[in-house]
């Protein structure tokens, strides 16, 4: 059903910390690895000259130049934001795309998808990629097959990208609950939504990079650079200096 | 946006076909016997050829039948239903004209309204997409409707086509004029896409992947825009100016036939631009539009 639930009791999503993310692409790999089971996510010409593939999560790197001070690098993971007002869902003609009433996760039922690609056009965030081999739309599932999976040990019942991140830059939780870890993190750090003016009401939040320390004009090691060499090294220094 | 031939052919052919079906349905042009058969046949063929072409755009056409199910929310679903309903409801009228049965024109009028509604639903598939600011404006349905009604009138051999064709000219100019500033007016930048504008000016340091992907191929189509200005002149010339001249100078029916061919080619050029010049906000993440 491609009409959206009026509201969902839970709003599961991710809080992504742009301060801690080092751009290592571990979440990209973890996501691809976990979701490559079953029908999987196909690649085309993966080891050839022009490789291409289906990914549910991509990590960009940006350089940001403040008005004053040095520019900074911000690594930027991009996956589905599980929007409350998901335009990708309402445009779908087949009913393949839907938003779960119970927890707000936006999913595609591959058995119904006709591969028209309209949902990918409707998504402002590039969160949907058509699988070129299977001809159906793929998107982040919020690892719905992990988070409720009782066959997994407790600590693994979170998205693969969250579990795989070595710096703990991705946090999973319920944004409808103001006491949840992600809600608190977002409140503390001023978490923001992407392109809010487009009216999609994303659930995921991005935590902004923290203010960087002031850049020192001279290196802290500067005094050490003046060390006078003694003994043999001193003699060598003097001799070489004269040549 | 990637100007896929299947989608360009679909929207131009089916638009013109439904336009002609509307003219025939209303009874603005009437012919009986063989002529009636050929006229209706042309309308049906164009509409159906367009719809078939659209299915070539599907990566998984075996599920196409399910596209009739989500009319509550989806313009694409509504289009499918409206198209099929039009073709079914107009069938008795076509039969009546062909065999000169003189049946009540009510069927024809309902079908004609539905035919125009079908074109409107097609246009709304694009208009609804906020992520493509150039399309997200009422001028998009106006342009689609102008093309369908004018194309239909030319094919139906109606003298009023000479006047209608200027609505296409006006709609194209409005579309280009409004569209050229649409992305800037929407106000989305690399800064709002990443939310980093609060810190400073954002530029791409390193792309997320070193070779192409679906997003780049489908939504971040930058090839061929450099000829846009020339193509606009070609589109305007072939879709509007030349057919108008032909209609004035060459008597019917040859005038209408020639005008129709010129108009069709012009419409294809204009529709190519409609896609190729449309920029999707996802391009902001890549620093390309
Ligand atoms: S991020 Fe895109 S795919 Fe995900 S819910 Fe929002 S609009 Fe849909
Ligand atoms: S590609 Fe599939 S999921 Fe997306 S709109 Fe088309 S049918 Fe729906
Ligand atoms: S939640 Fe799962 S599917 Fe979504 S990006 Fe993370 S690993 Fe991929």
């Amino acid at each position: 059903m491609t009409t959206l639930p009026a509201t969902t009791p839970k709003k599961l999503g991710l809080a992504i910390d742009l301060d801690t993310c080092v751009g290592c692409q571990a979440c990209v790999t973890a996501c691809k690895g976990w979701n490559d089971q079953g029908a999987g996510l196909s690649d085309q010409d993966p080891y050839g000259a022009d490789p291409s593939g289906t990914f549910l999560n991509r990590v960009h790197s940006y350089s940001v130049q403040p008005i004053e001070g040095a520019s900074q690098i911000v690594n930027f993971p991009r996956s589905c934001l599980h929007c409350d007002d998901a335009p990708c869902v309402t445009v779908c003609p087949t009913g393949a795309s839907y938003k779960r009433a119970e927890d707000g996760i936006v999913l595609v039922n591959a058995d119904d998808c006709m591969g028209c690609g309209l949902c990918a056009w409707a998504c402002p965030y590039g969160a949907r990629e058509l699988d070129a081999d299977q001809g159906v739309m793929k998107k982040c599932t919020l690892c719905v097959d992990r988070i409720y999976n009782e066959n997994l040990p407790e600590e693994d019942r979170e998205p693969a990208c969250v579990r795989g991140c070595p710096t703990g830059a991705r946090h999973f939780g319920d944004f409808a609950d103001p006491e949840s870890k992600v809600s608190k993190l977002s409140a503390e750090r001023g978490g923001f939504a992407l392109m809010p003016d487009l009216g999609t009401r994303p659930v995921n939040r991005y935590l902004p990079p923290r203010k960087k320390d002031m850049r020192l004009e001279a290196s802290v090691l500067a005094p050490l650079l003046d060390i006078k060499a003694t003994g043999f090294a001193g003699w060598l220094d003097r001799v070489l200096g004269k040549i | 946006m990637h100007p896929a031939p299947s989608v360009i052919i679909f929207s131009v052919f089916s638009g013109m076909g439904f336009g002609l079906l509307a003219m025939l349905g209303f009874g603005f042009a009437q012919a009986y016997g063989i002529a009636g058969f050929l006229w209706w046949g042309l309308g049906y063929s164009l509409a159906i050829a367009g719809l078939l072409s659209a299915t070539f755009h599907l990566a998984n056409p075996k599920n196409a039948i399910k596209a009739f199910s989500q009319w509550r929310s989806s313009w694409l679903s509504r289009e499918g239903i409206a198209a099929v309903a039009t073709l079914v409801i107009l069938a008795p009228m076509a039969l009546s004209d062909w065999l000169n049965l003189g049946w009540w024109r009510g069927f024809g009028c309902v079908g004609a309204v539905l035919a125009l509604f079908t074109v409107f639903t097609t246009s709304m598939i694009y208009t609804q997409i906020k992520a493509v600011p150039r399309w997200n404006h009422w001028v998009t349905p106006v342009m689609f409707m102008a093309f369908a009604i004018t194309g239909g009138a030319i094919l139906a051999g109606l003298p009023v086509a000479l006047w209608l064709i200027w609505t296409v000219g006006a709609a194209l100019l409005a579309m280009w004029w409004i569209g050229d500033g649409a992305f800037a007016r929407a106000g989305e930048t690399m800064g709002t896409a990443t939310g980093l504008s609060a810190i400073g000016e954002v530029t791409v340091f390193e792309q997320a992947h070193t070779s192409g992907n679906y997003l780049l191929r489908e939504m971040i189509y930058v090839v061929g825009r450099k000829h846009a200005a020339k193509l606009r002149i070609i589109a305007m010339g072939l879709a509007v100016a030349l057919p108008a001249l032909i209609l004035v100078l060459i008597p019917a029916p040859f005038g209408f036939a020639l005008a129709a061919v010129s108009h069709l080619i012009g419409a294809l050029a204009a529709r190519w631009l409609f896609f190729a010049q449309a920029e999707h906000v996802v391009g902001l993440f890549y620093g390309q539009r």
Side-chain angles (χ1 to χ4, degrees), chain B residues 42-246:
Chain B
L42 179 63
Y44 268 87
S45 316
L46 282 173
I48 293 172
L51 295 176
L52 281 181
S53 163
T55 61
F56 286 119
H57 185 64
L58 305 180
N60 192 26
K62 76 175 190 320
N63 280 339
I65 193 78
K66 294 182 178 167
F68 296 111
S69 66
Q70 302 301 313
W71 51 271
R72 280 190 201 80
S73 76
S74 164
W75 281 105
L76 180 49
S77 183
R78 287 171 199 159
E79 185 206 36
I81 295 170
V84 172
T86 304
L87 297 180
V88 171
I89 289 176
L90 280 176
M93 213 66 253
L95 200 67
S96 159
D97 279 359
W98 170 26
L99 303 175
N100 202 359
L101 301 174
W103 286 348
W104 181 53
R105 195 130 296 270
F107 277 118
C109 291
V110 172
V113 171
L114 257 176
L116 295 180
F117 178 68
T118 306
V119 177
F120 176 71
T121 56
T122 307
S123 72
M124 285 307 290
I125 295 171
Y126 307 105
T127 309
Q128 68 180 338
I129 295 179
K130 283 201 184 135
V132 182
R134 185 184 282 274
W135 293 348
N136 188 228
H137 195 279
W138 53 260
V139 76
T140 303
V142 169
M143 185 271 287
F144 272 77
M145 298 304 285
F147 263 110
I149 294 172
T150 304
I154 297 176
L155 287 178
L158 303 178
V160 71
L162 184 54
W163 302 105
L164 287 173
I165 205 156
W166 299 107
T167 64
V168 169
L172 278 179
L173 281 181
M175 178 91 211
W176 294 337
W177 187 59
I178 296 169
D180 282 349
F183 202 97
R185 274 195 305 277
E188 301 301 348
T189 60
M190 202 187 279
T192 62
T194 58
L196 296 172
S197 54
I199 303 175
E201 195 179 335
V202 190
T203 48
V204 170
F205 177 68
E206 203 172 32
Q207 292 293 4
H209 38 96
T210 48
S211 84
N213 73 345
Y214 175 72
L215 301 174
L216 290 169
R217 287 188 296 269
E218 182 75 11
M219 256 100 51
I220 312 178
Y221 183 88
V222 289
V223 196
R225 281 201 204 128
K226 65 174 188 282
H227 297 307
K230 275 183 219 155
L231 266 167
R232 280 183 174 182
I233 294 171
I234 292 173
M236 193 56 97
L238 291 181
V240 181
L242 187 60
L245 198 69
I246 294 173

Side-chain angles (χ1 to χ4, degrees), chain A residues 2 88-98 107-110 112-121 128 130 135-138, chain B residues 58-60 63 66-67 74 76 214:
Chain A
T2 56
C88 56
V89 170
T90 51
V91 299
C92 174
T94 60
S97 279
Y98 61 105
L107 292 174
V108 175
N109 177 0
D112 285 345
C113 175
M114 66 175 185
C116 66
L118 190 55
C119 54
W121 288 10
R128 294 175 166 241
L130 190 88
V136 295
M137 197 53 74
K138 295 290 167 82
Chain B
L58 305 180
N60 192 26
N63 280 339
K66 294 182 178 167
S74 164
L76 180 49
Y214 175 72

